[in-house]
Amino acid sequence: MKKLVGIISTIVMVASLQSCYYDKADLLYPNSAACDTTATASYSTKVVPLLNAQCYSCHRGGSGGITMGTYATDKAIAVNGKLYGSINHSSGYVAMPQGAPKMSSCNIALVKKWVDAGSPNN
Ligand code: HEC
């Protein structure tokens, strides 16, 4: 019985350590250090820095027929669903950023919040 309690508490400890680590994932990666989904999802101060770091290098030049880098172009792919579909790796969309790890879930949520707000130029 004692042994069983020991095994269970070990499992609980390991599980809580892992969830702790996972919770901190956004803090560990510099790109998402400023990620905060409680604040207003501002295009200029939140969305552009993200897209600039992870997307514009290819899409300013129109890679894959998708041009990004101005409010008008970024709004166009927000409105047609491709921005969120690609970064969320939704089925039916090509997963982005190409050749790089998926954005953190906090940053994906941040972009979604901006899209859901009607992708304002704020
Ligand atoms: C290394 C270059 C590169 C980077 C970085 C990159 N893309 Fe792409 N992207 C491409 C290419 C190439 C295609 C065309 C892929 C295809 O059709 O198979 C594409 C396609 C797309 C599409 C069209 C997807 C579809 O299903 O129609 C969208 C939207 C897109 N990218 C958004 C983004 C976003 C948002 C980011 C940043 C998170 C990003 N891309 C980062 C190269 C890149």
Side-chain angles (χ1 to χ4, degrees):
M1 189 57 192
K2 255 194 174 156
K3 202 174 175 190
L4 186 65
V5 171
I7 290 170
I8 290 173
S9 48
T10 304
I11 291 171
V12 170
M13 266 171 56
V14 170
S16 58
L17 275 177
Q18 274 181 344
S19 66
C20 208
Y21 172 77
Y22 183 72
D23 288 346
K24 298 276 181 287
D26 285 335
L27 298 175
L28 290 171
Y29 301 105
N31 248 340
S32 56
C35 186
D36 174 11
T37 50
T38 59
T40 302
S42 156
Y43 173 69
S44 56
T45 66
K46 302 283 184 185
V47 176
V48 166
L50 267 181
L51 302 183
N52 188 39
Q54 306 200 27
C55 319
Y56 288 172
S57 57
C58 294
H59 287 289
R60 211 173 245 134
S63 259
I66 301 287
T67 302
M68 297 173 70
T70 65
Y71 173 68
T73 54
D74 295 352
K75 185 184 169 86
I77 61 165
V79 169
N80 70 18
K82 288 191 173 186
L83 176 60
Y84 179 69
S86 64
I87 62 170
N88 190 50
H89 296 188
S90 305
S91 74
Y93 296 94
V94 183
M96 291 290 140
Q98 194 181 65
K102 192 178 178 180
M103 280 182 169
S104 75
S105 52
C106 182
N107 281 332
I108 294 170
L110 190 68
V111 172
K112 184 176 192 298
K113 193 174 178 187
W114 175 70
V115 172
D116 288 349
S119 39
N121 191 1
N122 56 358

